Amino acid sequence: MVGALESDQSFAMAEKFDILSEGFDPTAVAPEPLPLPVTNGTGADQEEENLKKTKVVINGGGEREMVLGRNVHTTSLAVTEPESNDEFTGDKEAYMASVLARYRKTLVERTKYHLGYPYNLDFDYGALGQLQHFSINNLGDPFIESNYGVHSRPFEVGVLDWFARLWEIERDDYWGYITNCGTEGNLHGILVGREVFPDGILYASSESHYSVFKAARMYRMECEKVDTLISGEIDCDDFRRKLLANKDKPAILNVNIGTTVKGAVDDLDLVIKTLEECGFSHDRFYIHCDGALFGLMMPFVKRAPKVTFNKPIGSVSVSGHKFVGCPMPCGVQITRMKHIKVLSNNVEYLASRDATIMGSRNGHAPLFLWYTLNRKGYKGFQKEVQKCLRNAHYLKDRLRDAGISAMLNELSSTVVFERPKEEEFVRRWQLACQGDIAHVVVMPSVTVEKLDHFLKDLVEHRLVWYEDGCKPPCLVKDVGINNCICPAHK
């Protein structure tokens, strides 16, 4: 009787909810509010309505207009409560599957036009799929296990040892950890410097990553912004003037191993020499090297100055999701063991110590880094660096052949050129812009074919932008007279 009753109830519910109607198509894609990939089609006016403009202060005290990205609230995907009959109809699962399928299609499309940001998109981590079902968390100190047993510390320490060898510091002399992003590496490096010299002044070039100045605000540090050369590297003459004006206080310095916009590499040896000539002994300064992208490329470039702990530096950080090609943001931070003692504390809750910033850390990131470092090794990275530099020179030469002002620093794969006139073009190719310049960061995943596609698209659009006597901007102040080929400087 009970079985019959349950059968009758199930049949009644099936009739009520119409589990599979005659018109149901399990392969159909449910409509949802994901934006379509940006194309060259119409709709530019509507796009402009979704953008906001603001004023930003530029060097010299003036202002210029900056275009912000779209307001995501206009395309956000709402989280909704399941309907009472969802477990029978499966409509919710079908809807979510369609959203994810559409999102994947968008990712594939946008990846085709990715040029302005330093991410290596050439990777395959299928072998690690078997580990994605675990909540891996490397809480606290990477060198001391905690009570939480689902961690990847052996992989993390293996990665750290690899970078310690790269930057020439003995295993017993360094401490480090895998961060959640490049910014965290800068935040940690500057924090160590501040703890070593609580009354120190932070010096950073005006073209340093914005996270450096974020650190100064977070830690309430006195900060001196140093001028740069036309290449984007720190101006050591201005640095000298600012040091001499503050000789009574220790110096904490951020050195860029590749600036954000121009890919310029600060001259570490000249920076150290300037500090010494201004009367700063090695126990009165702390240097953090921000090597977000080029920190991993520089060791494989012939004649490039070395970033090494054999020099009087305090820490080095590098991003893992940039040149390495990790699919999630992460990074590596290495400092001297003697410095970390001021930050490290015992945590009974973890049965470990902690000198990190975030505490809980993504335990999957070390697996991805370890996997790639083992697959490629030093020789593999050297080949990829050579490929990037070769393709960057190709792009720079092709731009100049087309009459477009362009600059490429000697140790860089970041090609700087005139900013496209239309924001739609900028968004299509996902270019990073600042003032009158834009850049392409040539990564291992950027092929010559992709560069040719971009060049063709840019040249065709410029014919429209600069018809009827309209002239491209002069970039002398941004790239120098030798790299500007505007009508006034051809």
Side-chain angles (χ1 to χ4, degrees), residues 158-179:
V159 170
L160 295 174
D161 283 346
W162 189 91
F163 279 95
R165 291 194 299 272
L166 187 70
W167 295 324
E168 299 180 325
I169 185 169
E170 295 297 323
R171 291 176 62 177
D172 294 337
D173 294 334
Y174 89 87
W175 184 91
Y177 73 104
I178 293 181
T179 62

Side-chain angles (χ1 to χ4, degrees), residues 2 11 37 39 173 198 210 272 274 287 369 377 388 399 417 447 466 479:
V2 174
F11 180 75
T39 65
D173 294 334
Y210 70 89
I272 294 171
T274 303
I287 295 176
L369 294 175
C388 291
L399 284 166
F417 57 98
T447 63
Y466 299 118
V479 301

Side-chain angles (χ1 to χ4, degrees), residues 93-385:
E93 290 293 330
Y95 165 73
M96 290 191 294
S98 71
V99 170
L100 294 176
R102 178 80 170 277
Y103 177 55
R104 186 184 186 282
K105 183 178 179 182
T106 300
L107 291 178
V108 170
E109 180 67 19
R110 299 310 292 128
T111 298
K112 293 178 184 177
Y113 299 95
H114 178 276
L115 281 179
Y117 294 88
Y119 306 135
N120 181 5
L121 307 180
D122 184 15
F123 52 76
D124 180 4
Y125 292 105
L128 301 182
Q130 60 186 317
L131 304 176
Q132 300 307 300
H133 302 286
F134 300 96
S135 178
I136 309 176
N137 191 332
N138 290 0
L139 305 122
D141 194 300
F143 300 94
I144 304 173
E145 286 193 358
S146 73
N147 284 339
Y148 185 72
V150 187
H151 62 80
S152 61
R153 279 182 175 81
F155 296 89
E156 180 173 17
V157 174
V159 170
L160 295 174
D161 283 346
W162 189 91
F163 279 95
R165 291 194 299 272
L166 187 70
W167 295 324
E168 299 180 325
I169 185 169
E170 295 297 323
R171 291 176 62 177
D172 294 337
D173 294 334
Y174 89 87
W175 184 91
Y177 73 104
I178 293 181
T179 62
N180 290 302
C181 61
T183 287
E184 187 181 349
N186 287 340
L187 293 177
H188 192 275
I190 293 170
L191 177 61
V192 173
R194 200 282 305 270
E195 293 299 291
V196 173
F197 297 118
D199 61 337
I201 296 176
L202 175 62
Y203 297 87
S205 82
S206 59
E207 298 205 25
S208 299
H209 190 261
Y210 70 89
S211 63
V212 173
F213 305 107
K214 179 192 290 188
R217 291 194 303 273
M218 289 175 65
Y219 305 147
R220 297 292 190 265
M221 297 174 70
E222 185 178 350
C223 181
E224 288 282 356
K225 191 176 289 189
V226 183
D227 293 343
T228 58
L229 305 177
I230 199 71
S231 64
E233 69 181 274
I234 192 169
D235 182 348
C236 280
D237 289 336
D238 187 55
F239 180 44
R240 181 188 302 273
R241 287 189 289 271
K242 289 179 166 62
L243 281 174
L244 293 174
N246 299 282
K247 285 189 66 174
D248 58 324
K249 291 186 177 181
I252 303 167
L253 178 66
N254 177 78
V255 169
N256 295 303
I257 313 302
T259 57
T260 309
V261 177
K262 295 181 180 179
V265 176
D266 292 341
D267 189 332
L268 177 58
D269 293 332
L270 183 57
V271 164
I272 294 171
K273 181 181 177 183
T274 303
L275 283 160
E276 293 171 342
E277 290 177 350
C278 290
F280 286 80
S281 55
H282 291 184
D283 60 353
R284 292 193 65 240
F285 67 79
Y286 180 97
I287 295 176
H288 170 67
C289 297
D290 176 11
L293 171 60
F294 295 110
L296 188 51
M297 297 178 68
M298 286 269 290
F300 306 107
V301 179
K302 292 182 179 179
R303 300 184 305 279
K306 292 187 74 172
V307 176
T308 168
F309 279 92
N310 290 327
K311 299 176 181 179
I313 63 175
S315 54
V316 184
S317 64
V318 67
S319 294
H321 56 287
K322 293 181 180 174
F323 192 77
V324 177
C326 194
M328 74 275 292
C330 61
V332 173
Q333 161 72 355
I334 299 283
T335 187
R336 297 182 186 273
M337 179 67 78
K338 65 180 182 180
H339 293 326
I340 207 63
K341 294 177 182 178
V342 297
L343 280 178
S344 188
N345 293 297
N346 290 324
V347 183
E348 183 178 5
Y349 170 74
L350 302 178
S352 182
R353 294 177 65 81
D354 190 16
T356 67
I357 287 183
M358 302 307 292
S360 283
R361 293 179 293 108
N362 184 349
H364 290 275
L367 300 172
F368 285 88
L369 294 175
W370 178 88
Y371 186 79
T372 296
L373 295 180
N374 273 286
R375 284 191 65 197
K376 295 183 179 179
Y378 291 110
K379 290 184 178 180
F381 283 117
Q382 185 174 36
K383 288 181 181 178
E384 290 194 336
V385 169

Side-chain angles (χ1 to χ4, degrees), residues 6-61:
E6 288 178 345
S7 178
D8 291 341
Q9 287 177 336
S10 298
F11 180 75
M13 291 182 72
E15 283 192 320
K16 179 179 180 181
F17 296 123
D18 190 18
I19 294 176
L20 288 177
S21 62
E22 291 183 4
F24 178 75
D25 179 2
T27 64
V29 177
E32 35 72 33
L34 270 179
L36 290 171
V38 177
T39 65
N40 282 333
T42 59
D45 293 340
Q46 183 61 45
E47 286 291 334
E48 291 302 321
E49 290 180 13
N50 291 334
L51 299 173
K52 290 186 177 180
K53 296 182 179 180
T54 187
K55 297 286 186 180
V56 293
V57 178
I58 57 176
N59 292 338

